[in-house]
Amino acid sequence: MPASLWPPAPRCVDVALDVPLFRTFAYRVPAEMAWPIAAGTRVLVPFRNRTAIGICLGETEPPAGVTLKALRAGGDDTPSLPAPLLHTARWIADWYAAPLGLTVRAMLPAALLQPGAAVPASRTQRMVHLVQELPSLLQREQTFARATQQRAVYELLEAQGGAASLESLRTQAGCSAGVFTAMVKRGLIAVRDESVPRDPFAARAGVAPPPHPSPAQRAAIDAILAGDPGQVFLLHGITGSGKTLVYIEVLREVLRTQGRTAIVLVPEIALTSQTVDRFRGAFGNDVAVLHSGLSDGERFDAWQALRRGERRIAVGARSALFAPLEQVGVVIVDEEHESSYKQSETPRYHAREAAIVRARAEGALVVLGSATPSLESWERADRGQAVRLTLPDRAAGAQLPPVQLVDMRSAVKEALASRAPQAPYDPLLRVFSPVLLAAIESRLTRGEQSLLLLNRRGFAAFVQCHGCGDVQVCPHCSISLTYHRVPESLVCHYCQHHADVPSSCARCGHATLQRRGLGTQQVEKLVAERFPEARIARMDVDTTSGKWAHTQILDRVGRQEVDILLGTQMIAKGLDFPNVTLVGVVDADTGLNLPDFRASERTFQLLSQVAGRAGRGPKGGEVIVQTRMPQAHAVTHALTHDFVGFVHEELGARRHPAYPPFVHLANVMVSGVHQGATAAAATAAAEWVTQLMRRQGLRDLVLVGPAPCPIDRIKDRWRWHFLLKSSQPRLMTRVARYVAERCPVPADSGLRLVVDRDPVSLL
Ligand code: ADP
Ligand code: ZN
């Protein structure tokens, strides 16, 4: 039929724009522009007196009675968001009740959506590097006999991973340039101009994977490759079972034989450099490593290389899921239980769940791997929505290490009682059991390495007045200030507020303030004093502020330049060092009493994962866990490496009252600067939802609360919340969206309402 018999088709497209509104925008496409405009391509539109870049969502009917504005320019040659990614964007916006425009923005490199945004040129900065490492206390005391300022600079530098800008160091140490000159002369440090940022991954050598999979690995690889498009596999392989080789062999097949591409998600690139090196060792330049250290320009380059097919494997954290690859054949989510896969700002998506959605749209396989799978994934397999595969043994004949439990309640009592009568008070006795000390000592004698876990950074968790018991709290948050020794100050771990350490109590004037609650800095000091010849490295947020500090510390451990690596949960993630034969958990209880239904699950995962770092080589290994709660099921099951036993017990506890995975959860948080107004707004919002439930007869929806959040004030904002629970995902989607979009909060008073679906933290 000749086209001219028909009225000209209304040329009109729907566009997603980077604005926090739950709507999209229709634009007219002028006659001179090419038509149709493919969904997922960028378009240039007039918006609020400026020109904005949006993403075309497809053709739409022009709304009646409205004069539409016209596109300024339209359509790249290839879509920035190919169909499966656009599908994923819509799913994320829908499921997590997020505006589609903000979701789309989160999926694309910033440079793509900012017209004329200058790609930041690399700047140069004067950097100070540690040249001579003095990891033992003994060496340090000899080197800095009277040079206290030099020692201060040295320790500051060390605390920042061995490199820092000259400017920041001088401010922190408050010393003259002469100190630095003297240290350069002594060969302790080097100062040079450097361009920042650099991409250290580009320069790293890959590590060749083991040549032959074991029969168990082979069986898992074959099962995965025989999967139907979109099928989800849960690879439950104990620590050291060789999950990485399974991923690599699956990728090899998908790339070489099927000619498709792959996405590998890891919890955090800086902490998983060993795993990344193995992928690079197997696939070389086919791998694009997407990490937070990339500049906007570098990120854009990596994105383009993937889109053009120059690299076929994207490896990265959460957002690597949005790599613009086509023909994706497999998506791997390593350490799928990690909570860092959940984004903590809009869109609050969980990368594991979004990975499954994208993979379905691509017809790709999904492999979720972990030694301690999340209860959500475990239950998914129980329901038949994922195929469970098991690697029950460690690779290459290694054994899981025996775990010994030390009850610190009796251990401390005994140690104190058996002291010599005149012995001075020794704080070490309260922190380390004789068993753990002896174990560390024997490792030092044998030239083997130890890991010590304490999941609390700083020196002391809080400072308390000896007279009135008053605790120093952050002026902006409902949380006590943590005492830090290098540099000395009180720090809020939520808002980074720094305060000087007072010499007396502000409330009662009492002169002595006690430092209570153990932190990693204190453990470091105690260990250094007890083993002055040991080479110690500490890994926590404070020593890894430099972008590549993690990798530098881990590389030193790998070269066996460190005898004792101590740190927070950072040291529990995926490390594979055969010479580590001892893992000591200084205090297993730090996370057990948090008011969060996942407290036990997190503790079990942390203990199992850190225990899994021991005994990976032929020398074997052992684990010593110190606790004051030896009966907690998170602890008892970790002792026997009994994941299934733990899950069984924990799933039981999640049924009544119902918690995930048995129910869908949304955390509705209301925050504001005035305490009373925040409470009132949260109460009104909860009442509004209750009315809605009543009006609509929503029976399968439960509202719990409202109540102040466990941490009821952060960064000067008061926080209240209530929980919504439902066993019906569709109902939850509707309600969450309705609440996010419509629930009235007085806008003028700075109140905010946030809906966090499938929250990973309720604090
Ligand atoms: P997981 O991630 O499951 O904890 P890794 O993938 O880190 O375990 O593997 C643990 C160690 O076992 C690594 O050093 C790896 O090189 C080695 N390994 C894995 N598979 C094999 C194999 N088939 N033969 C020999 N060594 C292996
Ligand atoms: Zn604070």
Side-chain angles (χ1 to χ4, degrees), residues 210 212-214 217 238-245 278 395-396 576 616:
H212 304 293
S214 67
Q217 286 169 323
I238 63 165
T239 55
S241 59
K243 294 184 284 295
T244 317
L245 187 60
R278 288 193 203 144
D576 184 41
R616 289 179 159 244

Side-chain angles (χ1 to χ4, degrees), residues 727-750:
S727 61
Q728 294 176 41
R730 289 234 175 90
L731 174 63
M732 187 57 107
T733 302
R734 255 177 44 220
V735 174
R737 170 64 173 248
Y738 202 72
V739 172
E741 202 179 333
R742 302 279 176 81
C743 187
V745 284
D748 51 332
S749 47

Side-chain angles (χ1 to χ4, degrees), residues 474 476-477 492 495:
C474 177
H476 310 290
C477 310
C492 171
C495 75

